[in-house]
Amino acid sequence: MKILMVITSHDQLGNTGRKTGFWLEELAAPYFVFKDAGVEITLASPKGGRPPLDPKSNEPEFRTDLTRRFEQDAAAEAQLDKTVRLESVKQEDFDSVFYPGGHGPMWDIVDDKNSIKLIESFLAAGKPISVVCHSTGALRHVKAPDGKPLVQGKEVTGFTNGEEEAVGLTKVVPFLVEDEMLRLGAVFSKKANWAVHVVSDGLLTTGQNPASSGPAAKLLLEKLSKMRK
């Protein structure tokens, strides 16, 4: 089984002068769910090469056993060093795609034409996809085969307004994930701030926040194994 993971290349937190990027737990937790299940993982990003890590995600309070494991895993670090360019990947080569979050995707992945086309091609091929946290925003411009917004009428979750407010970035991000999903006609499902919450609707699996990234990856694997039977 082969799974593509798409990571942000964006490192500026709006106009704050602070750095952002991908959230380490949201890469590490799903990565090892997949790796431990024997999945072949490819890491991609819009610019290729080493994607920027959100420095906050590596502060002591946000480190986990899995983030430490990732940093000590030479093969994982080597892959992260050489992510392939997003424009070079094809849906045909993979069984599924997973989008880790962090604030970075809000500025690049969301509007990336290669990403939008890629997600649409996975769904058109009947392949499941998963996005977590801010990467739910990557669905913003994705269309269903009938031309309507993909998320219209679908149950999804992602980083909530309450969580964005809790980290003090409501006025910094280009849009609020929760508000945007509601505007597009999605049924937005959420739990308390930082609670683990994963939603499945058809081919789409979404996770609310960093703690939901591992569980979202497990649910995606379950879907894939059922489809193979």
Side-chain angles (χ1 to χ4, degrees), residues 11-169:
D11 69 351
Q12 296 297 314
L13 190 59
N15 301 319
T16 63
R18 281 146 54 197
K19 292 289 187 188
T20 190
F22 70 91
W23 196 261
L24 185 54
E25 183 184 2
E26 294 180 41
L27 171 62
Y31 182 91
F32 288 118
V33 167
F34 299 145
K35 187 170 185 175
D36 294 346
V39 171
E40 191 181 315
I41 305 161
T42 298
L43 302 182
S45 62
K47 293 181 180 175
R50 180 109 187 168
L53 171 71
D54 186 320
K56 200 159 183 63
S57 72
N58 213 6
E59 288 178 359
E61 64 184 298
F62 299 117
R63 288 169 68 85
T64 68
D65 289 345
L66 291 173
T67 65
R68 285 185 280 272
R69 181 181 167 192
F70 192 95
E71 289 173 330
Q72 289 156 12
D73 187 316
E77 281 291 333
Q79 267 191 288
L80 189 61
D81 238 12
K82 297 189 171 73
T83 66
V84 299
R85 286 180 73 96
L86 190 54
E87 65 187 7
S88 73
V89 297
K90 295 187 185 73
Q91 164 272 120
E92 292 83 358
D93 297 334
F94 301 95
D95 297 291
S96 184
V97 63
F98 187 100
Y99 280 70
H103 279 87
M106 300 284 282
W107 282 275
D108 65 347
I109 301 275
V110 166
D111 299 311
D112 189 289
K113 289 182 172 57
N114 294 308
S115 172
I116 295 161
K117 270 193 280 195
L118 189 70
I119 294 172
E120 288 175 349
S121 67
F122 269 95
L123 296 169
K127 295 177 181 179
I129 68 158
S130 181
V131 296
V132 293
C133 203
H134 286 92
S135 277
T136 296
L139 304 176
R140 186 186 203 184
H141 300 300
V142 176
K143 297 280 194 288
D146 62 5
K148 291 178 181 161
L150 170 71
V151 297
Q152 190 176 319
K154 280 201 167 24
E155 188 180 359
V156 301
T157 189
F159 207 61
T160 68
N161 289 357
E163 287 166 330
E164 202 67 82
E165 197 172 319
V167 297
L169 295 173

